[in-house]
Amino acid sequence: MEKRIKITINGDTTEVPQGTSILDAARQSGVIIPTLCYHKDLCVAGNCRVCVIEIAGQKRLAAACATPCEDGMEVLTNTLKVRNARKHIIELLLSEHNAECTSCYRNGNCELQKLASDYKIMTQDFLDLIPFKNYTIDNFSPSIIKDDSKCIRCQRCVRTCAELQSVNALTMSYKGEHARITTFFEKSMNEVVCTNCGQCVNHCPTGALTERNYIEEVWSALSDKTKFVIVQTAPAVRVGLGEELGFDPGERVTGKMVAALKRLGFYAVMDTDFTADLTIMEEGTELLSRLKGVLVDKRQDIKLPMATSCSPGWIKFIEHLYPNFLGHLSSCKSPQQMFGALVKTYYAKSKKIDPSKIVSVSIMPCTAKKFEAARPEMNDSGYRDVDYVLTTRELAIMIKQAGIDFLKLPDMHFDRLMGESTGAGVIFGATGGVMEAALRTAYELVTGRDVPFENLNITPVRGMEGVKEASITIENPLKDWAFLDGVQLKCAVAHGLTNAKFIMDALKEGKADYHFVEFMACPGGCLGGGGQPIPTNPEIRKKRALAIYAEDSGMPLRKSHQNPEIVKIYKDFLGKPLGEKSHKLLHTTYIKRTNF
Amino acid sequence: MEPIKDLIKRLADRYGRERSSLLPILQGVVEQEKYLSEYSMTEIARELNLPAADVFGTATFYSFLENEKMGRYIIRLCKTITCSMKGENQILLTIQDLLKIKVGETTPDGNFSLLQTNCLGFCHKAPAMLINKEVYNELTPEKVREILTSYINSNGGGKENVNNTSS
Amino acid sequence: MSTTHLLKRADFIFKSDNDWKDVLKKSLSRKANELINELISSELKGRGGAGFPTGLKWKITSEIDSDEKYVICNADEGEPGTFKDREILSRVPFKVLTAIAVCGHVTKAKKGFIYLRGEYFFLKEGLEKAILEFETFCKTIGFDFSISIFMGSGAYICGEETALFESMEGKRGEPRNKPPFPSSCGYLNKPTVINNVETLAHTYTIFKYGAKRFYDLGVQFSRGTKLFSVSGDTPKPGIYELELGMSLADFVEEFGDDDTKAVQVGGASGFLVPRKRFAETTIGFQGRLVGISLPTGGSMMLFNSSRSMFNVLDNYLNFFAEESCGQCTPCRVGCQQLLRGIKAVKRGEKNAGYLDKLLKLAETMTYTAKCGLGQSVANSFSSIVENFREEMIY
């Protein structure tokens, strides 16, 4: 039995389990203590000192996030001493902060700004320290901009990159007045092990880390009458976009999103879920071909487990840190890139549009996709396959700039040719979704039957546990797949790069006997991506996941191979999965990168 | 001089390959090389299976673990109040005059770097300075000239101790 | 508080350590409880500046059940004006080693460390020799205990106990949140006793002569003797072992002269006492800091009338701004604000009233900083600004 203790907060007694922090106990008691360096996803730091409170009998104030309750403790959160101290802390932060809020990307959604506003810091008593600093801005990465002048040294990004993602691209360096957050030898984010996953951006309380935005470039393209600006939207966007536009977390805004995009002036609004379905066809076939290669032909050069390859953050992760295991990656491009390659070939051909006039835009929950679109090899269409990637946040900004009243929009449908999708495509947005989609198709391909799960919901791969495992035994397969009879197909799902590391380290030691592993760089999968609305936390991500699965169960078609547009594209254009055209347009290669 | 890669391996064999072995290894490399280059840090990171950024962040915390190229002899002059009261400024001027460098700089021949440091623990015999690991105290401009000249002359690893350490 | 207590010198610390083998054997033959009670009744308090009761510290750690425990000697002496630990380690190292080992016996720790600041590298060889001799002897008497030296690399903050642990663990020396405290969660998150060099040397005295001998010296709340590192404008710079409880006036009588304008007690993180307050200031511990009795690491820097208190404060603030670990807002930014603030007032860019704002800021730093460094900046800041205000302005 967990020991329970009583403490009083501002005179009200409350009972909590022993070990609870004063911050959590206060919340239970209806008292919200402001914080900055604290984040639900991360370990406690206790360095910003914003959450200081008074404990009766102690002269010094204590940090509520870092101090455990003790039986009989009397906590006071709103005394003059506390408020004056807190005001000083905020003023100190502002004095070394580039507080030009009007020109800041996080204007309106900045935690420091909110604190300054709540406490009505209307004058700056202290000296402005900015002139004495050599603040730098690193904007060399196509995905992330790091602006030291806005950093409050809360180290949330460092903890995120270390604990949550095990990438460790960022560190606190130097000390004293020179203490700052840097990369290895203060190189540009672009030159180090940064995977562009953008979790640091999601967890940064201010504008110190933001995505590189391409809003003006897209506006420019949209107003160019000679261009056909075509947009694709990722599955996770439709369950996150609402949060930026007046909806609660977990509300699906698919129809409104399409309507908004049409109003913005895109020539065609199509769906990445379509190419998600396509990915399943290609990747499913690839998996089966690898299984045959290993189980029947006993080939040494074919690697199992096969790893999914739709998460560019994960791809850069393995390229930097496990470069000897690239053979495990599926050669399939991500749905975004498949779409990009097809829009300037298949789509252009069908609609008789000059592909050089197409501007291919994608709306993604992801910052790494910006890097992915810019990878040199992503031009199999003969042009840059994806020209601009906008995050969910950037789309919301454009919608607001255009004066679109999002709440009043009607629901509209995606455009034809590459806008049809199944439930299997939409679940790509959640951790476990790719695996589930792949199993729904592969199992039926091999046995002629539905996966043995009620309503096709493969629940073992769903949910927020870091590493999930599932296995399906193949019984009575179709003749062509006889070699799989009795084979227990072992699958694993990892989300967040720390869990990816866990599996890769196991693989290194020969302890990962899976056939197929889904890797997602971001916690929760794409729905928790670096480009999704801020803030992020476990509750919000759970709600977005429920929305994704609700969207899936509400769709008429739930298996990728049933998608009529998929059937059509193979019939009219690609031929067959892993065929020659597929290889040219839909598959890719990877490179080894440095480990710093 | 041992190649850095071998040096690091030897240090890791001696101190271990845990995180807690990091500081002695960094110190060992600085002892030979006088500073930590990018290469040194990535090698240490590889040998200890640590992220390179972590090695950098840890090294830059400590004032004696330089990450820019330093001279063969690093002069660290104490600038805390008692040394300052007892004429540290004169000493600084003397050194600057003799070596023709300012604080933070290294002589063109790569022999001397001039830095300032905080309390060395010789306040009763101020002013004091370190040259690499040797302490010199009760400094006067004349004494400093003597000390530095002896380093310059002996140039083959000179550690002439003119009035050294413990009281 | 006493105005009649005269300066009493003592000579325990630097008395030869030749009898260490006997003291060690005798102590190891005694029960842990006995030794702890001896320390508690001696009322020995930490001599590094924080003044925590040593006996209690050893007691708490000894009562915790753990497979691994550690004893660490904090030799990261970096407080400006302090140089006593260096002397102890170079002249009577066996006292320190013995004390570490006895602490190991009391707490059941098998491993001891000396965290030696990088600037004291020249002591390393001598210490290693002593440790070899010590460990060899321990083996012959069947006492399983080893001691290693861990070198610092130039970071004053690593003298803070949790920052020291972080440093030993190969990380940046950023202090941890407390609770938990080192007694239960220290080096490698194991129960650890961490004591200053001088504190350990005093435990040697106590184990050798018994608690009463120590207790009989000094005054109430401040028993025993302390080493004082005296420097600055004094004809007698050096290290002196004196009974605690003396008045600063008596001290200046001995070590200063009529021209002594102020004394900085306890280094940059201590207090500046102006001449007019010498008589009412005692050097010792008195439970809580009340401004009259000052706990101290023993640094005593004397300033005569030729010294500018502005320069002194500027020097301290520069020191803190550089040596702060930088993680917490009040210290990282506060030190910079105080430093630049006094410069601005001096240059006339801010008016004199700004000093009062800075005093309030310093107070906030005391209440909100994460560790002793940030919490102590106000000590010298307030005492200098309040007592020498004109020197800040003109």
Side-chain angles (χ1 to χ4, degrees), chain A residues 30-171:
Chain A
V31 175
I32 300 171
I33 299 173
T35 59
L36 270 181
C37 67
Y38 175 79
H39 195 288
K40 282 206 182 114
D41 285 335
L42 309 167
C43 75
V44 168
N47 61 42
C48 71
R49 314 310 281 180
V50 165
C51 69
V52 287
I53 43 81
E54 211 173 319
I55 297 177
Q58 289 183 23
K59 189 147 175 246
R60 290 199 208 106
L61 302 176
C65 67
T67 312
C69 297
E70 276 167 40
D71 205 21
M73 207 180 231
E74 284 172 47
V75 175
L76 299 161
T77 69
N78 195 32
T79 60
L80 194 64
K81 189 171 173 181
V82 169
R83 293 221 314 282
N84 283 342
R86 193 166 294 144
K87 266 195 168 157
H88 266 165
I89 304 281
I90 300 170
E91 282 172 27
L92 288 175
L93 286 171
L94 289 171
S95 75
E96 62 168 11
H97 187 88
N98 172 357
E100 303 262 309
C101 295
T102 49
S103 60
C104 177
Y105 192 68
R106 288 286 292 267
N107 188 10
N109 188 15
C110 163
E111 291 181 45
L112 179 62
Q113 195 182 41
K114 179 164 192 310
L115 265 180
S117 168
D118 285 348
Y119 279 81
K120 291 292 160 261
I121 310 291
M122 321 251 275
T123 55
Q124 175 55 282
D125 275 342
F126 297 127
L127 295 168
D128 180 15
L129 295 175
I130 306 249
F132 305 112
K133 306 277 182 189
N134 284 331
Y135 283 144
T136 53
I137 300 183
D138 171 15
N139 52 12
F140 290 101
S141 156
S143 295
I144 299 175
I145 300 180
K146 183 169 170 300
D147 186 350
D148 203 30
S149 70
K150 297 178 185 168
C151 176
I152 58 168
R153 285 108 170 102
C154 66
Q155 296 192 45
R156 267 166 45 173
C157 57
V158 176
R159 285 179 278 146
T160 300
C161 201
E163 287 162 41
L164 216 55
Q165 298 297 77
S166 292
V167 172
N168 293 285
L170 295 168
T171 178

Side-chain angles (χ1 to χ4, degrees), chain A residues 45-49 60-61 66 81 88 92 95-96 125-127 132-133 152 172-177, chain C residues 154 172 174 177 321 324 327-330 332-333 336-337 340 350 354 357 364 366-368 370 375:
Chain A
N47 61 42
C48 71
R49 314 310 281 180
R60 290 199 208 106
L61 302 176
K81 189 171 173 181
H88 266 165
L92 288 175
S95 75
E96 62 168 11
D125 275 342
F126 297 127
L127 295 168
F132 305 112
K133 306 277 182 189
I152 58 168
M172 188 74 161
S173 307
Y174 302 99
K175 63 176 186 274
E177 52 182 340
Chain C
R172 295 164 56 82
E174 293 183 2
N177 290 308
S324 159
Q327 69 165 315
C328 81
T329 312
R332 180 186 71 246
V333 194
Q336 293 176 63
Q337 285 295 349
R340 299 204 181 272
K350 285 266 189 194
Y354 189 63
K357 292 218 161 77
T364 297
T366 309
Y367 296 147
T368 60
K370 188 166 174 179
Q375 290 158 7

Side-chain angles (χ1 to χ4, degrees), chain B residues 6-31:
Chain B
D6 297 337
L7 170 63
I8 291 172
K9 181 167 184 310
R10 183 169 59 76
L11 289 167
D13 286 340
R14 175 160 168 206
Y15 292 109
R17 287 170 170 77
E18 318 282 311
R19 182 62 191 256
S20 44
S21 323
L22 180 57
L23 229 54
I25 295 177
L26 289 169
Q27 288 161 0
V29 175
V30 169
E31 191 161 345

Side-chain angles (χ1 to χ4, degrees), chain A residues 329-340:
Chain A
L329 286 171
S330 156
S331 58
C332 289
K333 289 183 182 174
S334 68
Q336 166 180 280
Q337 295 303 133
M338 284 195 186
F339 191 100

Side-chain angles (χ1 to χ4, degrees), chain C residues 365-385:
Chain C
M365 286 168 71
T366 309
Y367 296 147
T368 60
K370 188 166 174 179
C371 83
L373 191 158
Q375 290 158 7
S376 306
V377 176
N379 293 348
S380 45
F381 188 84
S382 307
S383 54
I384 294 180
V385 171

Side-chain angles (χ1 to χ4, degrees), chain C residues 147-289:
Chain C
I147 302 180
S148 305
I149 299 178
F150 188 95
M151 294 302 300
S153 276
Y156 163 81
I157 185 61
C158 288
E160 199 278 343
E161 52 191 13
T162 58
L164 193 152
F165 300 146
E166 291 286 296
S167 181
M168 282 180 67
E169 292 176 17
K171 298 181 250 175
R172 295 164 56 82
E174 293 183 2
R176 302 174 179 170
N177 290 308
K178 292 197 272 206
F181 295 92
S183 313
S184 56
C185 184
Y187 176 55
L188 297 178
N189 292 332
K190 301 289 180 189
T192 307
V193 168
I194 174 165
N195 275 136
N196 172 263
V197 172
E198 188 192 340
T199 311
L200 291 169
H202 282 295
T203 66
Y204 184 93
T205 305
I206 292 167
F207 293 138
K208 175 171 167 176
Y209 293 107
K212 186 170 187 309
R213 190 78 176 273
F214 185 84
Y215 181 91
D216 282 346
L217 302 170
V219 298
Q220 191 188 30
F221 299 126
S222 309
R223 300 289 169 191
T225 59
K226 178 145 191 18
L227 289 183
F228 289 91
S229 312
V230 184
S231 65
D233 296 319
T234 166
K236 302 179 188 177
I239 298 174
Y240 302 91
E241 185 174 356
L242 305 169
E243 285 188 50
L244 283 171
M246 63 190 157
S247 89
L248 199 47
D250 289 343
F251 176 85
V252 174
E253 177 80 29
E254 174 78 41
F255 292 101
D257 54 31
D258 290 334
D259 198 26
T260 304
K261 178 163 129 181
V263 179
Q264 183 81 23
V265 180
S269 25
F271 293 82
L272 187 85
V273 186
R275 186 169 196 93
K276 62 181 189 253
R277 291 218 199 289
F278 286 170
E280 71 196 50
T281 306
T282 358
I283 308 301
F285 310 92
Q286 197 168 321
R288 250 195 259 163
L289 175 62

Side-chain angles (χ1 to χ4, degrees), chain A residues 240-505:
Chain A
L241 181 62
E243 289 165 43
E244 295 276 320
L245 296 162
F247 285 83
D248 286 330
E251 302 233 29
R252 295 142 57 189
V253 294
T254 317
K256 292 197 193 313
M257 174 183 72
V258 177
L261 286 164
K262 284 189 181 293
R263 300 248 172 124
L264 287 176
F266 286 96
Y267 175 79
V269 179
M270 296 194 283
D271 199 356
T272 316
D273 293 9
F274 164 80
T275 33
D277 282 334
L278 189 64
T279 304
I280 293 300
M281 303 304 297
E282 295 288 323
E283 200 158 329
T285 312
E286 188 190 356
L287 174 64
L288 293 171
S289 118
R290 282 202 198 202
L291 285 170
K292 179 160 182 293
V294 170
L295 297 173
V296 176
D297 307 330
K298 309 285 186 215
R299 283 174 62 177
Q300 296 290 326
D301 60 317
I302 292 189
K303 303 283 174 211
L304 286 179
M306 185 171 91
T308 57
S309 54
C310 43
S311 168
W314 149 244
I315 297 292
K316 197 155 191 280
F317 182 80
I318 189 180
E319 286 178 327
H320 275 294
L321 299 175
Y322 299 92
N324 295 331
F325 290 84
L326 296 178
H328 289 265
L329 286 171
S330 156
S331 58
C332 289
K333 289 183 182 174
S334 68
Q336 166 180 280
Q337 295 303 133
M338 284 195 186
F339 191 100
L342 290 173
V343 84
K344 295 190 183 185
T345 51
Y346 171 66
Y347 182 84
K349 192 158 156 225
S350 292
K351 300 285 184 180
K352 300 194 185 10
I353 298 175
D354 174 5
S356 71
K357 299 266 187 283
I358 294 181
V359 177
S360 156
V361 177
S362 71
I363 316 290
M364 290 285 143
C366 177
T367 45
K369 291 281 176 200
K370 294 177 191 267
F371 177 84
E372 189 185 40
R375 284 178 75 121
E377 65 273 18
M378 295 297 182
N379 56 6
D380 290 323
S381 64
Y383 308 89
R384 185 111 301 260
D385 295 342
V386 177
D387 293 295
Y388 303 112
V389 177
L390 298 173
T391 58
T392 313
R393 299 189 288 260
E394 285 163 85
L395 175 58
I397 291 171
M398 291 180 77
I399 291 174
K400 288 178 194 164
Q401 284 179 357
I404 295 172
D405 191 343
F406 195 73
L407 290 157
K408 291 212 174 91
L409 288 172
D411 285 339
M412 295 184 74
H413 292 293
F414 289 103
D415 289 325
R416 276 295 71 104
L417 215 61
M418 290 164 68
E420 187 81 62
S421 64
T422 69
V426 91
I427 56 178
F428 265 57
T431 166
V434 180
M435 179 62 64
E436 188 168 342
L439 289 173
R440 286 183 193 173
T441 289
Y443 190 82
E444 189 169 317
L445 209 70
V446 163
T447 65
R449 307 187 296 273
D450 276 344
V451 280
F453 289 91
E454 196 177 324
N455 285 334
L456 301 178
N457 296 337
I458 308 182
T459 44
V461 298
R462 296 187 181 190
M464 293 301 176
E465 216 183 296
V467 176
K468 293 164 280 187
E469 290 176 335
S471 54
I472 297 184
T473 313
I474 311 284
E475 274 158 1
N476 299 322
L478 298 175
K479 200 170 52 144
D480 282 344
W481 308 103
F483 69 90
L484 287 172
D485 196 6
V487 168
Q488 191 191 34
L489 198 66
K490 290 197 199 132
C491 308
V493 173
H495 61 115
L497 289 171
T498 294
N499 293 311
K501 178 177 192 297
F502 181 77
I503 294 195
M504 290 310 292
D505 284 343

